[in-house]
Amino acid sequence: MGDFYFVPAGKLNLSDKVRRWIWRFEAALIGAGLRVFRWLPFRAGRWLAEKSFAALGMYNRRAKNARRNLSVVFADTSPRVIRGYVRRTFGHLGQAMAELAHLDKIWATGRVSFELAPGANQPSSDRPTVFVTAHVGAWEFTPLVARHFNMEIPVIYSPERNPYVDAQLNELRGVYKSELVANRGGLLSFIRALRAGKSVGMTADTRLKGAPDVPFFGHDAPTNTGPAWLAERYGVDLVPVLGERVPGGCYRVTIFAPIVAADPDAVQSERVHDMTHQINRVFEHWIHERPGEWLCLKSRWNRPVYRQLGIET
């Protein structure tokens, strides 16, 4: 999301000393916000985070990317409604921050439930699996699958460019009791884990530069085929997982049936492409049901797609 959150200095040629000073300043602001959200009663903190992020997010430079992405997804929707979805997206991010600040308390009070969708297998350390999710709903709760089912599941994530903020957020994520693997070099860590008979978890809804094009909402988009490749290469299940907010300040994590290639006799590259397309279709369904809960603040498609649809780039 750029070098800085609040300071418009991303394109300036700054010394390392100045850059780190800005990072510390912004980390102090974010840390203060997290402490306020945690100090307040949970529902009050989540409400404050949602409303403040929704209001301020509309002025964030990433709001344009969210608007463009949602305009592709909801191509027949009016600009006014799309603007409302963008506002809800930032409010959704605020809720996620407040939830992260309270995550240990939410877990300790038993407010996270786990359900198996029809055809799903109960996660087990005896059944290595590639778990995959999207930045939809309460996605920060999906890694708790490991703790609930007493499994070791390394989770890949995108580190914040601000190392001080990254450290703050990862401290809160300690509730997962799982290894957090930075996305750079993460594939090798996952290969080692699968070879050791462990499961792995990752998000796969964001644009991956240089990745193969796979249809997403009817348009080709560079898509991470890593989850399907790992599942195929090591003969393990590929399982979507969705986190959701439910009434009463509670959360539900649903484990879905494994995704399998439509043609098991096809060559591996075709099977991987097919399974990745199936993952995208699952994500499409989730996003359609929750238009204000998809956190995609970077361009998801290549520029020609936006131009083809008449969306400002």
Side-chain angles (χ1 to χ4, degrees), residues 3 28-29 59 68 71 74 88 95 105 107 114 122 124 145-146 152 162 166 201 203 224 227 232 266 283:
D3 284 351
L29 290 178
Y59 301 98
R68 293 164 63 224
S71 295
F74 302 99
R88 285 169 56 187
Q95 290 188 70
K105 299 177 184 178
W107 175 258
F114 297 82
Q122 179 165 311
S124 167
V145 166
E152 285 189 61
N162 184 324
D166 192 58
T203 55
N224 185 357
E232 276 289 303
F283 293 167

Side-chain angles (χ1 to χ4, degrees), residues 10-303:
K11 295 183 178 181
L12 297 180
N13 186 19
L14 303 176
S15 68
D16 286 345
K17 182 177 181 180
V18 172
R19 187 178 301 276
R20 291 196 171 275
W21 186 91
I22 296 174
W23 278 343
R24 290 190 181 99
F25 170 72
E26 293 193 326
L29 290 178
I30 291 173
L34 289 169
R35 285 191 293 274
V36 169
F37 299 150
R38 184 174 175 84
W39 174 76
L40 289 169
F42 171 62
R43 294 191 191 183
R46 191 174 66 174
W47 178 89
L48 176 63
E50 177 187 6
K51 298 306 179 185
S52 58
F53 274 62
L56 297 174
M58 300 304 290
Y59 301 98
N60 188 284
R61 63 186 180 277
R62 297 294 182 180
K64 180 179 179 180
N65 290 337
R67 176 186 58 78
R68 293 164 63 224
N69 291 333
L70 290 166
S71 295
V72 174
V73 175
F74 302 99
D76 298 326
T77 303
S78 71
R80 181 184 63 82
V81 173
I82 293 294
R83 180 177 172 82
Y85 290 162
V86 174
R87 186 181 181 89
R88 285 169 56 187
T89 295
F90 280 98
H92 164 63
L93 174 59
Q95 290 188 70
M97 293 295 287
E99 288 159 353
L100 198 55
H102 282 267
L103 191 57
D104 59 339
K105 299 177 184 178
I106 294 170
W107 175 258
T109 52
R111 284 183 280 161
V112 185
S113 62
F114 297 82
E115 294 187 2
L116 302 180
N121 301 306
Q122 179 165 311
S124 167
S125 56
D126 297 328
R127 192 183 187 101
T129 299
V130 176
F131 293 102
V132 63
T133 191
H135 296 89
V136 176
W139 83 92
E140 288 276 12
F141 286 81
T142 57
L144 289 169
V145 166
R147 190 164 181 182
H148 179 74
F149 291 101
N150 195 28
M151 301 169 65
E152 285 189 61
I153 305 179
V155 176
I156 202 166
Y157 83 109
S158 297
E160 300 293 320
R161 290 200 181 183
N162 184 324
Y164 306 105
V165 172
D166 192 58
Q168 289 178 351
L169 298 181
N170 285 346
E171 183 177 358
L172 297 172
R173 292 176 180 133
V175 180
Y176 299 154
K177 300 299 183 184
S178 292
E179 179 188 2
L180 295 174
V181 180
N183 52 6
R184 289 187 178 180
L187 182 60
L188 292 177
S189 296
F190 277 14
I191 288 173
R192 287 194 292 268
L194 289 169
R195 284 177 174 172
K198 299 178 183 178
S199 297
V200 298
M202 66 181 79
T203 55
D205 59 313
T206 54
R207 182 175 183 270
L208 184 63
K209 186 177 180 180
D213 283 339
V214 179
F216 191 45
F217 287 103
H219 302 278
D220 283 347
T223 302
N224 185 357
T225 58
W229 181 84
L230 286 169
E232 276 289 303
R233 174 65 178 80
Y234 293 98
V236 300
D237 288 343
L238 175 62
V239 175
V241 182
L242 173 66
E244 300 173 272
R245 300 179 182 96
V246 294
C250 296
Y251 299 85
R252 177 173 61 229
V253 176
T254 303
I255 297 98
F256 289 83
I259 287 175
V260 297
D263 182 2
D265 296 323
V267 298
Q268 186 185 65
S269 61
E270 293 177 354
R271 297 197 306 270
V272 167
H273 186 277
D274 170 61
M275 292 166 70
T276 303
H277 190 193
Q278 290 187 56
I279 293 171
N280 278 357
R281 289 203 296 267
V282 170
F283 293 167
E284 289 172 11
H285 177 68
W286 294 353
I287 293 165
H288 266 302
E289 287 193 332
R290 304 162 185 82
E293 294 188 17
W294 180 38
L295 189 69
C296 191
L297 303 182
K298 296 181 180 179
S299 295
R300 182 63 185 89
W301 290 266
N302 291 324
R303 286 190 176 186

